[in-house]
Amino acid sequence: MFNKKARTISDHVVLWIPKFLFLIVAFLSVIFLVRLLILTNVDSAEAEAKILANRIYFSPNIINYVDENTGRGYPGIIDIDKFRKLEDKDINEMDTKTINYGGTNRLIAAKLTLVTLYTEPRESPTKSEPKSTPDKTKVQDSSKRLEETVFYNKENYNFWEPRILSTVTGGSGSVTSLTEQMYVLIKNGDKMNKGILKMHIIVRK
């Protein structure tokens, strides 16, 4: 009688072992999924850099040309005078417009480089000279370039820039960088030239 009862209990224990293992696996799976869904560390550095790049490029209050009569801004047309005013001695011009990261900006910095591609007409070859270009009275020579650079939060940009390199102590893990380059038109007085706008943005993590 006793042996029969003991055998019955042991049979129940053996039957419950797979159930216990299944419950343990299910419990661990739920914990894993919960930890996967709960984000404890969100890296928004790249998004911050893209937001700043879009504000610089699209805002009518920063570098875009604005028609005085209509008040309309033209993204892609850079007002050279507004571009040169970005870097004031006392207060950064952009902080008085649509961008403001506080008095002591320890979050983000940028370097803006505007390359003007000057196109000047030159005479086409004479009849005695071989023609290397189509027979036109004028051809375009775009060999001249002028680069102008301004900074947003220059002091911190110069401090963070070396940290982009992974070989520097406290390097790439502490900052994120974004480089944007786009072809633009540059308005200088009554003249309009082709150009390239380069933006290098560094965000501290």
Side-chain angles (χ1 to χ4, degrees):
M1 187 74 174
F2 177 77
N3 291 336
K4 185 177 180 180
K5 186 180 293 186
R7 189 165 52 250
T8 303
I9 295 173
S10 63
D11 290 342
H12 280 292
V13 170
V14 171
L15 291 174
W16 271 97
I17 288 175
K19 296 180 181 180
F20 278 121
L21 292 175
F22 176 77
L23 288 173
I24 291 171
V25 172
F27 181 72
L28 293 177
S29 299
V30 170
I31 293 177
F32 174 77
L33 290 174
V34 169
R35 292 191 62 183
L36 189 65
L37 293 174
I38 298 176
L39 301 177
T40 57
N41 185 18
V42 179
D43 185 3
S44 62
E46 186 176 352
E48 289 280 357
K50 289 183 177 180
I51 289 171
L52 177 61
N54 287 337
R55 284 179 173 178
I56 293 172
Y57 186 72
F58 290 105
S59 173
N61 298 320
I62 301 180
I63 58 176
N64 284 338
Y65 165 70
V66 176
D67 189 295
E68 295 181 355
N69 297 321
T70 63
R72 177 186 174 186
Y74 291 86
I77 302 180
I78 309 301
D79 188 328
I80 191 65
D81 293 328
K82 292 172 71 174
F83 181 85
R84 289 169 178 167
K85 289 178 181 178
L86 285 184
E87 197 171 21
D88 280 356
K89 294 180 180 179
D90 298 325
I91 184 170
N92 197 299
E93 182 71 12
M94 281 197 283
D95 282 328
T96 66
K97 306 298 182 183
T98 59
I99 303 172
N100 194 335
Y101 290 94
T104 56
N105 181 358
R106 297 287 297 169
L107 173 65
I108 194 166
K111 175 184 177 182
L112 310 181
T113 302
L114 188 62
V115 182
T116 304
L117 306 174
Y118 288 104
T119 55
E120 295 183 351
R122 59 179 173 84
E123 296 292 337
S124 61
T126 61
K127 292 183 179 180
S128 60
E129 297 175 343
K131 294 182 180 180
S132 58
T133 58
D135 187 12
K136 297 181 180 179
T137 57
K138 302 284 184 181
V139 293
Q140 296 295 319
D141 180 6
S142 59
S143 60
K144 292 187 177 181
R145 298 162 64 97
L146 173 65
E147 288 194 11
E148 298 184 64
T149 301
V150 296
F151 291 88
Y152 173 69
N153 197 5
K154 183 177 181 179
E155 182 178 351
N156 284 320
Y157 179 91
N158 291 333
F159 180 73
W160 292 331
E161 186 181 22
R163 298 182 178 223
I164 297 172
L165 303 174
S166 58
T167 55
V168 177
T169 303
S172 58
S174 62
V175 296
T176 294
S177 67
L178 173 72
T179 301
E180 295 277 351
Q181 178 174 305
M182 52 209 71
Y183 288 94
V184 296
L185 293 175
I186 301 171
K187 192 175 189 310
N188 188 356
D190 296 330
K191 296 181 180 179
M192 195 80 73
N193 292 297
K194 295 180 180 179
I196 302 171
L197 176 63
K198 302 176 184 178
M199 291 188 280
H200 185 222
I201 300 170
I202 302 176
V203 183
R204 181 186 180 189
K205 291 185 179 180

